[in-house]
Short mmCIF file of all heavy atoms in Angstrom, two decimals:
data_model
loop_
_atom_site.label_atom_id
_atom_site.label_comp_id
_atom_site.label_asym_id
_atom_site.label_seq_id
_atom_site.Cartn_x
_atom_site.Cartn_y
_atom_site.Cartn_z
N VAL A 783 64.69 -35.07 64.00
CA VAL A 783 64.56 -34.54 62.64
C VAL A 783 64.60 -35.73 61.67
O VAL A 783 65.52 -36.55 61.73
CB VAL A 783 65.70 -33.55 62.34
CG1 VAL A 783 65.65 -33.09 60.89
CG2 VAL A 783 65.66 -32.36 63.29
N PRO A 784 63.59 -35.83 60.80
CA PRO A 784 63.57 -36.94 59.85
C PRO A 784 64.82 -36.95 58.97
O PRO A 784 65.40 -35.91 58.67
CB PRO A 784 62.32 -36.68 59.01
CG PRO A 784 61.45 -35.82 59.88
CD PRO A 784 62.40 -34.98 60.68
N ASP A 785 65.19 -38.15 58.53
CA ASP A 785 66.44 -38.30 57.78
C ASP A 785 66.29 -38.12 56.27
O ASP A 785 67.26 -38.24 55.54
CB ASP A 785 67.07 -39.66 58.07
CG ASP A 785 66.27 -40.82 57.49
OD1 ASP A 785 65.12 -40.61 57.06
OD2 ASP A 785 66.80 -41.95 57.47
N ASN A 786 65.07 -37.80 55.80
CA ASN A 786 64.93 -37.60 54.36
C ASN A 786 64.06 -36.38 54.07
O ASN A 786 63.27 -35.94 54.91
CB ASN A 786 64.38 -38.87 53.68
CG ASN A 786 62.96 -39.17 54.10
OD1 ASN A 786 62.03 -38.51 53.64
ND2 ASN A 786 62.78 -40.16 54.98
N ALA A 787 64.22 -35.85 52.87
CA ALA A 787 63.57 -34.59 52.49
C ALA A 787 62.04 -34.69 52.51
O ALA A 787 61.37 -33.76 52.96
CB ALA A 787 64.06 -34.15 51.13
N LEU A 788 61.49 -35.81 52.03
CA LEU A 788 60.03 -35.96 51.99
C LEU A 788 59.45 -35.96 53.41
O LEU A 788 58.44 -35.28 53.67
CB LEU A 788 59.64 -37.24 51.25
CG LEU A 788 58.13 -37.52 51.17
CD1 LEU A 788 57.41 -36.38 50.43
CD2 LEU A 788 57.88 -38.85 50.49
N ALA A 789 60.07 -36.68 54.31
CA ALA A 789 59.58 -36.72 55.70
C ALA A 789 59.71 -35.35 56.36
O ALA A 789 58.84 -34.94 57.13
CB ALA A 789 60.34 -37.78 56.49
N ARG A 790 60.79 -34.64 56.08
CA ARG A 790 60.94 -33.28 56.63
C ARG A 790 59.89 -32.34 56.06
O ARG A 790 59.32 -31.51 56.77
CB ARG A 790 62.36 -32.75 56.37
CG ARG A 790 63.41 -33.40 57.26
CD ARG A 790 64.76 -32.72 57.17
NE ARG A 790 65.33 -32.71 55.83
CZ ARG A 790 66.05 -33.71 55.31
NH1 ARG A 790 66.30 -34.80 56.02
NH2 ARG A 790 66.55 -33.62 54.08
N GLU A 791 59.61 -32.47 54.76
CA GLU A 791 58.57 -31.65 54.14
C GLU A 791 57.21 -31.94 54.78
O GLU A 791 56.45 -31.02 55.08
CB GLU A 791 58.51 -31.90 52.63
CG GLU A 791 57.46 -31.07 51.93
CD GLU A 791 57.33 -31.37 50.44
OE1 GLU A 791 57.87 -32.39 49.97
OE2 GLU A 791 56.68 -30.57 49.75
N PHE A 792 56.92 -33.22 55.00
CA PHE A 792 55.67 -33.60 55.65
C PHE A 792 55.58 -33.00 57.05
O PHE A 792 54.58 -32.39 57.41
CB PHE A 792 55.55 -35.13 55.72
CG PHE A 792 54.31 -35.58 56.45
CD1 PHE A 792 53.11 -35.69 55.78
CD2 PHE A 792 54.35 -35.87 57.80
CE1 PHE A 792 51.96 -36.09 56.45
CE2 PHE A 792 53.21 -36.27 58.48
CZ PHE A 792 52.02 -36.38 57.80
N ARG A 793 56.64 -33.15 57.83
CA ARG A 793 56.66 -32.61 59.19
C ARG A 793 56.45 -31.10 59.19
O ARG A 793 55.68 -30.55 59.98
CB ARG A 793 57.98 -32.95 59.87
CG ARG A 793 58.10 -32.41 61.30
CD ARG A 793 59.48 -31.98 61.71
NE ARG A 793 60.15 -31.19 60.71
CZ ARG A 793 61.46 -31.11 60.58
NH1 ARG A 793 62.25 -31.80 61.40
NH2 ARG A 793 62.01 -30.36 59.66
N ASP A 794 57.11 -30.42 58.26
CA ASP A 794 57.00 -28.96 58.18
C ASP A 794 55.59 -28.53 57.79
O ASP A 794 55.04 -27.59 58.37
CB ASP A 794 58.03 -28.40 57.21
CG ASP A 794 59.46 -28.56 57.70
OD1 ASP A 794 59.67 -28.93 58.88
OD2 ASP A 794 60.39 -28.33 56.90
N TRP A 795 55.00 -29.21 56.80
CA TRP A 795 53.63 -28.88 56.41
C TRP A 795 52.66 -29.16 57.55
O TRP A 795 51.72 -28.38 57.78
CB TRP A 795 53.21 -29.63 55.15
CG TRP A 795 53.54 -28.91 53.89
CD1 TRP A 795 54.40 -29.32 52.91
CD2 TRP A 795 53.04 -27.64 53.46
NE1 TRP A 795 54.47 -28.37 51.91
CE2 TRP A 795 53.63 -27.33 52.23
CE3 TRP A 795 52.14 -26.72 54.01
CZ2 TRP A 795 53.36 -26.16 51.52
CZ3 TRP A 795 51.87 -25.55 53.32
CH2 TRP A 795 52.47 -25.28 52.10
N ALA A 796 52.84 -30.28 58.24
CA ALA A 796 51.95 -30.59 59.37
C ALA A 796 52.01 -29.48 60.41
O ALA A 796 50.98 -29.04 60.93
CB ALA A 796 52.33 -31.94 59.99
N GLY A 797 53.20 -28.99 60.70
CA GLY A 797 53.34 -27.89 61.65
C GLY A 797 52.64 -26.63 61.17
O GLY A 797 51.98 -25.94 61.95
N ARG A 798 52.78 -26.32 59.89
CA ARG A 798 52.13 -25.12 59.34
C ARG A 798 50.60 -25.24 59.39
O ARG A 798 49.91 -24.28 59.73
CB ARG A 798 52.57 -24.89 57.90
CG ARG A 798 54.00 -24.40 57.77
CD ARG A 798 54.32 -24.10 56.29
NE ARG A 798 55.75 -24.10 56.11
CZ ARG A 798 56.44 -25.02 55.45
NH1 ARG A 798 55.83 -26.03 54.87
NH2 ARG A 798 57.75 -24.93 55.35
N ILE A 799 50.09 -26.42 59.02
CA ILE A 799 48.64 -26.64 59.06
C ILE A 799 48.13 -26.53 60.49
O ILE A 799 47.13 -25.85 60.76
CB ILE A 799 48.27 -27.99 58.43
CG1 ILE A 799 48.53 -27.97 56.92
CG2 ILE A 799 46.82 -28.36 58.72
CD1 ILE A 799 48.47 -29.33 56.25
N ASN A 800 48.83 -27.18 61.43
CA ASN A 800 48.40 -27.11 62.83
C ASN A 800 48.40 -25.68 63.33
O ASN A 800 47.48 -25.26 64.05
CB ASN A 800 49.29 -27.99 63.70
CG ASN A 800 49.04 -29.47 63.49
OD1 ASN A 800 48.05 -29.88 62.89
ND2 ASN A 800 49.96 -30.29 63.97
N GLN A 801 49.41 -24.90 62.97
CA GLN A 801 49.46 -23.50 63.39
C GLN A 801 48.31 -22.69 62.79
O GLN A 801 47.70 -21.87 63.49
CB GLN A 801 50.79 -22.85 62.99
CG GLN A 801 51.96 -23.33 63.82
CD GLN A 801 53.23 -22.60 63.43
OE1 GLN A 801 53.26 -21.38 63.42
NE2 GLN A 801 54.27 -23.36 63.09
N ALA A 802 48.02 -22.90 61.52
CA ALA A 802 46.93 -22.16 60.87
C ALA A 802 45.58 -22.47 61.51
O ALA A 802 44.79 -21.56 61.79
CB ALA A 802 46.90 -22.47 59.36
N VAL A 803 45.33 -23.75 61.76
CA VAL A 803 44.05 -24.14 62.36
C VAL A 803 43.99 -23.69 63.82
O VAL A 803 42.96 -23.18 64.28
CB VAL A 803 43.81 -25.66 62.21
CG1 VAL A 803 42.57 -26.10 62.98
CG2 VAL A 803 43.68 -26.03 60.73
N ALA A 804 45.09 -23.82 64.55
CA ALA A 804 45.11 -23.40 65.96
C ALA A 804 44.87 -21.90 66.09
O ALA A 804 44.19 -21.45 67.02
CB ALA A 804 46.44 -23.77 66.61
N ALA A 805 45.40 -21.12 65.16
CA ALA A 805 45.19 -19.67 65.21
C ALA A 805 43.72 -19.32 65.04
O ALA A 805 43.23 -18.36 65.64
CB ALA A 805 46.02 -18.98 64.12
N GLN A 806 43.02 -20.11 64.28
CA GLN A 806 41.60 -19.86 64.01
C GLN A 806 40.69 -20.52 65.04
O GLN A 806 39.55 -20.09 65.22
CB GLN A 806 41.28 -20.41 62.62
CG GLN A 806 40.01 -19.85 62.05
CD GLN A 806 39.96 -20.10 60.56
OE1 GLN A 806 40.93 -20.46 59.92
NE2 GLN A 806 38.80 -19.89 59.99
N ALA A 807 41.18 -21.52 65.73
CA ALA A 807 40.36 -22.30 66.65
C ALA A 807 40.00 -21.51 67.91
O ALA A 807 40.76 -20.68 68.38
CB ALA A 807 41.09 -23.59 67.04
N ASP A 808 38.83 -21.83 68.44
CA ASP A 808 38.40 -21.29 69.72
C ASP A 808 39.06 -22.06 70.87
O ASP A 808 39.34 -21.48 71.91
CB ASP A 808 36.87 -21.42 69.86
CG ASP A 808 36.16 -20.69 68.75
OD1 ASP A 808 36.21 -19.44 68.73
OD2 ASP A 808 35.55 -21.36 67.89
N ARG A 809 39.26 -23.37 70.63
CA ARG A 809 39.87 -24.20 71.66
C ARG A 809 40.91 -25.11 71.02
O ARG A 809 40.70 -25.61 69.92
CB ARG A 809 38.82 -25.08 72.36
CG ARG A 809 37.71 -24.29 72.98
CD ARG A 809 36.79 -25.07 73.88
NE ARG A 809 36.21 -26.27 73.28
CZ ARG A 809 35.43 -27.11 73.97
NH1 ARG A 809 35.17 -26.90 75.24
NH2 ARG A 809 34.94 -28.17 73.38
N VAL A 810 42.03 -25.31 71.73
CA VAL A 810 43.07 -26.23 71.29
C VAL A 810 43.48 -27.07 72.48
O VAL A 810 43.76 -26.54 73.56
CB VAL A 810 44.30 -25.48 70.72
CG1 VAL A 810 45.37 -26.48 70.28
CG2 VAL A 810 43.90 -24.57 69.56
N PHE A 811 43.48 -28.39 72.29
CA PHE A 811 43.89 -29.32 73.33
C PHE A 811 45.07 -30.15 72.83
O PHE A 811 45.12 -30.52 71.65
CB PHE A 811 42.75 -30.28 73.70
CG PHE A 811 41.55 -29.58 74.27
CD1 PHE A 811 40.46 -29.31 73.47
CD2 PHE A 811 41.52 -29.20 75.60
CE1 PHE A 811 39.35 -28.66 73.98
CE2 PHE A 811 40.42 -28.56 76.12
CZ PHE A 811 39.33 -28.28 75.31
#
């Protein structure tokens, strides 16, 4: 877990974006 709020926010947004795109994707590797 990142030690600062900005890095945690970045990690959380990256996870949300990856989930949104993966849900729509035909293939995920």
Side-chain angles (χ1 to χ4, degrees):
V783 175
D785 69 348
N786 66 76
L788 179 61
R790 286 190 300 275
E791 180 183 13
F792 177 85
R793 180 214 46 206
D794 292 350
W795 271 117
R798 288 184 200 110
I799 291 168
N800 288 347
Q801 287 183 54
V803 173
Q806 198 163 347
D808 301 291
R809 303 190 307 176
V810 179
F811 297 99

